[in-house]
Amino acid sequence: MLCWRRLCREMRERGLTGDPVARVLRNPSGFRVTARDDLSGRPATRTQAAIERRRRQMDKAMNFYLPIAEMSVNVTIFLGMGAAVGFISGMFGVGGGFLMTPLLIFAGIPVAVAVGTESAQIVASSVSGAVAQWRRRNIDLTMAAVLLAGGMVGAALGVRVVGALQRIGQLELFVTLCYVTFLSAIGTLMLIESYNEIRRYERDKRVRLRSRAHHNWIHRLPFKIRFQRSKLYISAIPPLMIGAFVGFLGGIMGIGGGFIMVPAMIYLLRMPIGVVIGTSLLQIVFVTAFTTVLHARQNFAVDIVLALALMIGGVVGAQFGAAAGEKLRAEQLRFFLAILVIFVGLRMAWTLVAPPGEVFSITSGTWGHQ
Amino acid sequence: MSAATGWARALFVSLVALGLLCTAAEAQQRRQRAVPVPVPGQSQQPAQKQDPNAPLSMPREQVQADVSTRRVAVTSNFTGIEIVVFGAVDYSRQPSPEAGYYDVVVVVEGTPTRLVARKKDRILGLWLNAESVSFQKVPSFYAIAATRPLDEIASEDVLKSSGIGFEYVPMTLGKGAEGKSEAEIKKFRDAVVRLKRKEKLYSEVEYGVSFIGRSLFRASVDVPANVTVGPFDTRVYLFRNGELLSRYTARLNLEREGIEQIIYSAAVRFPLAYGLLTVALAMAAGLLASTLLRRAG
């Protein structure tokens, strides 16, 4: 309740004159007068004001306005994200797009911008690996060219689909469903395979090579090409199809697609393990570069400031990750990677299944057109 | 029980007594003010000198206002801004700043943008975006500051006709609104307001306007960093006893500036070049990092 004496004292102290009754009527709680400085409406106590000022200063130092995502963010979050994902990608030798895009979406970046920007970051993280493989001549150029041709067609289609889904408001659903499907499928396969490998290793302490089936349906397709570096003479259709499929997923999900491409090259095309990594890296660099340009051109969805923050974090994180990865055996790494992949898949699935706290959502500005 | 009722009755009686006293005091003041004798040493005198044809009773009050910064630059370290709106009541009859004679409402309205509100529904066990209503124009920012709570200042009709209050935020419907009932659209409208309030883009400050002098008042409005750039309208309303006396509109502009502006316009005007540039930057960053770290390692 109102305290008359306190109010009078307060007014006297601050040199305010006038009719206390009218003042109280205007400001009935009475305490509002005491709790706030009347002229500015700001918190009156010194500590509160100091905390406020300090918070603003801190914000000012680390805040960046993302011109395309149209939001102001604390850049340390994205540097940290880049470093964490870079660490994992360095450790497991994967691009990390499948981790980064969901993280960006969770952080509130519009889905289209997350996908478009992440493809730019994958270019940066794959290019150094590709150059290293190039120096070691571990690349089948003919195969890379065929995959790339397919990849560009797939990416162009994927970017178009992103634009169309964005307009009807179902992009988030589609991206989430893609993630759930592919991450859980690939994760489960990897988990089973690496688990068997670990058990076999522990049983007879030696790594066995898989027995290869020498002829399957792939070898009966037309348009055969000789892939010299891979020592293969197979039809161009399967690599084209694989390239297109991975390119399409890259366009939609903001991933490089190495975790699909590599198993496909080993098990479907039967390429020698030595050239698989280099060839897929080279292909990923060019397809993601192409995807980035398309996202920028058609959906205006590439944020260069965000991409730069992710790149800087990623490059640093990858170095530490690579060092950590050398301490683990390949099948152990695959086992942990599989668990990680499944976890991200489940986390994405949870957003679809869990009852949302707020059933309404709004998209405005550039990202709200329909 | 009886003691409690006794206290309540005493409280009620004293409140009524206080109310009566105040009404009497105010009536007294008004009577004093109604006498058209200029108070010596007050600012009314020059105003009357300028206008010799003025009637004996004072002219109707008018409000004027302006904002502290007419142009706000949104740069890379934009963390929001506090806009100070200050104004004056011409021919103020207010005896003192604390009298509470006038009510002032300041409405700051941001650039209208397109907006889609979507509602999730459970379909086949999954929560999916189902219904949506798109709005052609929704103010990206809407802040109200007033001398006291809005419902005490004026009736709903008056507020509605002036577009003051969250229920009366001007929103133009777009596609997808046909065939939806009034009540359904209202749900989406309310959701927009609720979500915007959560983002601090819509706000209301009761007691956010204060009089500094008999006619001079000021209000401050916080604009958060996630605001959409563009022209802002600042509307100032002057009320007296629930009646709108005068209104005034001032404008300010939020503009992208510096590197932000360059990046944004490049991305929109030359998207192909912008995309190629991003890729070139990414490749350069990757190669630079690998060479630097190779040397270090």
Side-chain angles (χ1 to χ4, degrees):
Chain A
M1 269 306 283
L2 190 89
C3 175
W4 182 260
R5 278 172 56 200
R6 187 172 160 187
L7 183 65
C8 289
R9 199 186 62 220
E10 193 94 6
M11 288 183 67
R12 211 168 40 242
E13 275 174 5
R14 280 200 259 146
L16 297 171
T17 52
D19 182 5
V21 175
R23 197 184 170 81
V24 171
L25 278 183
R26 198 177 121 219
N27 226 347
S29 74
F31 287 99
R32 282 184 204 275
V33 181
T34 60
R36 282 167 167 270
D37 176 356
D38 226 20
L39 298 187
S40 68
R42 282 270 186 95
T45 52
R46 198 166 291 174
T47 38
Q48 265 178 312
I51 291 168
E52 181 80 2
R53 210 175 315 123
R54 193 60 187 271
R55 202 179 58 77
R56 279 194 177 233
Q57 278 174 355
M58 300 269 284
D59 277 359
K60 205 152 202 134
M62 284 326 288
N63 258 58
F64 269 77
Y65 187 81
L66 303 180
I68 305 301
E70 293 181 333
M71 56 197 287
S72 177
V73 295
N74 191 331
V75 80
T76 36
I77 294 171
F78 293 97
L79 284 174
M81 263 186 199
V85 174
F87 182 82
I88 290 165
S89 68
M91 189 155 117
F92 296 122
V94 293
F98 74 96
L99 284 174
M100 189 57 102
T101 314
L103 275 178
L104 290 177
I105 295 170
F106 293 146
I109 305 286
V111 179
V113 180
V115 169
T117 305
E118 180 48 24
S119 45
Q121 198 237 334
I122 294 170
V123 175
S125 67
S126 316
V127 75
S128 59
V131 168
Q133 297 288 343
W134 176 273
R135 288 213 182 94
R136 288 179 216 152
R137 307 202 162 277
N138 285 342
I139 294 175
D140 185 334
L141 277 180
T142 327
M143 181 60 87
V146 173
L147 286 171
L148 185 59
M152 283 184 161
V153 175
L157 197 65
V159 172
R160 256 172 210 286
V161 168
V162 166
L165 286 168
Q166 170 73 29
R167 280 188 281 281
I168 62 165
Q170 297 299 347
L171 179 62
E172 196 169 352
L173 168 71
F174 192 73
V175 169
T176 312
L177 280 179
C178 277
Y179 266 100
V180 171
T181 316
F182 284 101
L183 293 185
S184 44
I186 300 283
T188 313
L189 284 177
M190 276 169 61
L191 193 68
I192 294 168
E193 193 257 357
S194 60
Y195 180 70
N196 288 340
E197 199 99 333
I198 288 171
R199 281 188 57 186
R200 197 177 301 141
Y201 182 85
E202 280 171 2
R203 203 172 54 223
D204 48 28
K205 298 282 178 199
R206 67 192 173 87
V207 186
R208 268 181 13 195
L209 283 172
R210 272 170 175 274
S211 62
R212 287 188 178 191
H214 284 290
H215 281 279
N216 56 12
W217 57 272
I218 284 172
H219 293 87
R220 288 195 290 275
L221 290 168
F223 308 115
K224 288 201 172 188
I225 296 181
R226 192 169 296 282
F227 297 100
Q228 283 200 329
R229 193 72 187 72
S230 309
K231 300 190 184 73
L232 283 175
Y233 181 60
I234 55 167
S235 159
I237 294 171
L240 273 177
M241 298 285 277
I242 292 169
F245 180 67
V246 174
F248 178 72
L249 289 183
I252 285 176
M253 296 163 70
I255 54 173
F259 71 102
I260 298 170
M261 181 79 86
V262 170
M265 286 161 114
I266 296 173
Y267 299 122
L268 290 179
L269 303 181
R270 310 248 179 247
M271 277 170 68
I273 312 268
V275 294
V276 163
I277 303 289
T279 310
S280 78
L281 268 176
L282 187 73
Q283 192 262 357
I284 284 169
V285 167
F286 283 102
V287 170
T288 46
F290 183 67
T291 312
T292 309
V293 174
L294 283 186
H295 272 300
R297 210 178 91 95
Q298 290 182 2
N299 303 334
F300 308 105
V302 178
D303 198 311
I304 201 166
V305 179
L306 179 61
L308 203 61
L310 296 178
M311 283 175 209
I312 293 169
V315 164
V316 176
Q319 296 306 313
F320 292 102
E326 282 168 10
K327 299 197 175 85
L328 289 167
R329 281 206 314 276
E331 58 271 21
Q332 281 176 329
L333 276 176
R334 276 214 297 280
F335 185 74
F336 290 131
L337 181 61
I339 289 175
L340 192 69
V341 166
I342 291 175
F343 178 77
V344 176
L346 288 178
R347 178 66 186 80
M348 292 294 268
W350 178 248
T351 60
L352 286 179
V353 180
E358 168 74 80
V359 290
F360 287 96
S361 62
I362 52 175
T363 9
S364 59
T366 321
W367 305 108
H369 52 71
Q370 189 174 26
Chain B
M1 183 67 203
S2 65
T5 14
W7 271 108
R9 194 176 301 154
L11 193 69
F12 178 72
V13 168
S14 55
L15 272 179
V16 169
L18 187 69
L20 282 174
L21 256 172
C22 298
T23 327
E26 216 168 303
Q28 179 82 16
Q29 281 182 353
R30 212 172 303 151
R31 228 171 296 132
Q32 283 175 352
R33 235 172 283 127
V35 181
V37 176
V39 186
Q42 298 269 326
S43 58
Q44 288 154 346
Q45 271 184 324
Q48 283 188 338
K49 266 181 200 159
Q50 280 173 353
D51 190 0
N53 297 333
L56 271 176
S57 66
M58 265 207 297
R60 197 181 156 91
E61 297 94 326
Q62 284 200 325
V63 67
Q64 294 183 28
D66 202 359
V67 287
S68 53
T69 29
R70 292 230 182 120
R71 227 178 113 263
V72 179
V74 177
T75 53
S76 63
N77 55 1
F78 179 69
T79 52
I81 190 170
E82 183 192 24
I83 295 171
V84 176
V85 181
F86 54 91
V89 181
D90 284 351
Y91 314 118
S92 170
R93 294 172 198 177
Q94 193 164 236
S96 75
E98 289 83 30
Y101 188 81
Y102 297 114
D103 284 313
V104 173
V105 180
V106 174
V107 178
V108 180
E109 206 179 289
T111 330
T113 54
R114 283 183 287 191
L115 184 146
V116 187
R118 298 196 173 88
K119 186 170 174 275
K120 281 200 166 80
D121 256 323
R122 201 167 178 166
I123 301 163
L124 303 170
L126 303 178
W127 286 92
L128 313 175
N129 282 334
E131 277 178 281
S132 72
V133 169
S134 80
F135 295 91
Q136 201 56 43
K137 278 181 179 176
V138 174
S140 56
F141 179 81
Y142 189 88
I144 309 168
T147 42
R148 43 181 188 148
L150 286 181
D151 53 348
E152 293 174 21
I153 290 175
S155 68
E156 268 183 40
D157 292 339
V158 176
L159 293 176
K160 188 176 182 177
S161 63
S162 311
I164 303 170
F166 291 131
E167 297 97 272
Y168 316 118
V169 177
M171 296 188 194
T172 320
L173 285 172
K175 276 183 284 176
E178 309 92 14
K180 282 210 166 61
S181 70
E182 199 86 341
E184 269 181 272
I185 286 171
K186 191 176 180 311
K187 256 194 242 167
F188 279 92
R189 269 189 65 110
D190 291 349
V192 170
V193 171
R194 190 171 63 241
L195 291 166
K196 287 263 195 186
R197 284 188 80 165
K198 218 188 241 174
E199 291 180 59
K200 304 225 162 88
L201 287 170
Y202 283 21
S203 62
E204 181 182 2
V205 189
E206 296 170 356
Y207 312 107
V209 179
S210 47
F211 272 92
I212 304 165
R214 284 178 54 253
S215 64
L216 188 66
F217 62 85
R218 60 167 277 164
S220 70
V221 170
D222 273 324
V223 180
N226 53 346
V227 73
T228 310
V229 295
F232 275 50
D233 266 342
T234 306
R235 307 197 303 264
V236 178
Y237 299 87
L238 180 71
F239 287 96
R240 165 76 187 142
N241 286 339
E243 186 198 341
L244 180 62
L245 294 180
S246 168
R247 54 169 290 178
Y248 192 88
T249 306
R251 290 205 121 189
L252 76 136
N253 214 348
L254 256 74
E255 286 170 4
R256 278 202 181 82
E257 218 176 58
I259 191 106
E260 309 306 303
Q261 170 58 29
I262 296 168
I263 292 174
Y264 183 80
S265 58
V268 173
R269 271 198 269 160
F270 315 108
L272 184 64
Y274 173 81
L276 290 172
L277 180 76
T278 313
V279 168
L281 187 76
M283 289 203 173
L287 290 175
L288 186 73
S290 72
T291 45
L292 281 182
L293 292 163
R294 184 198 301 271
R295 256 178 226 157

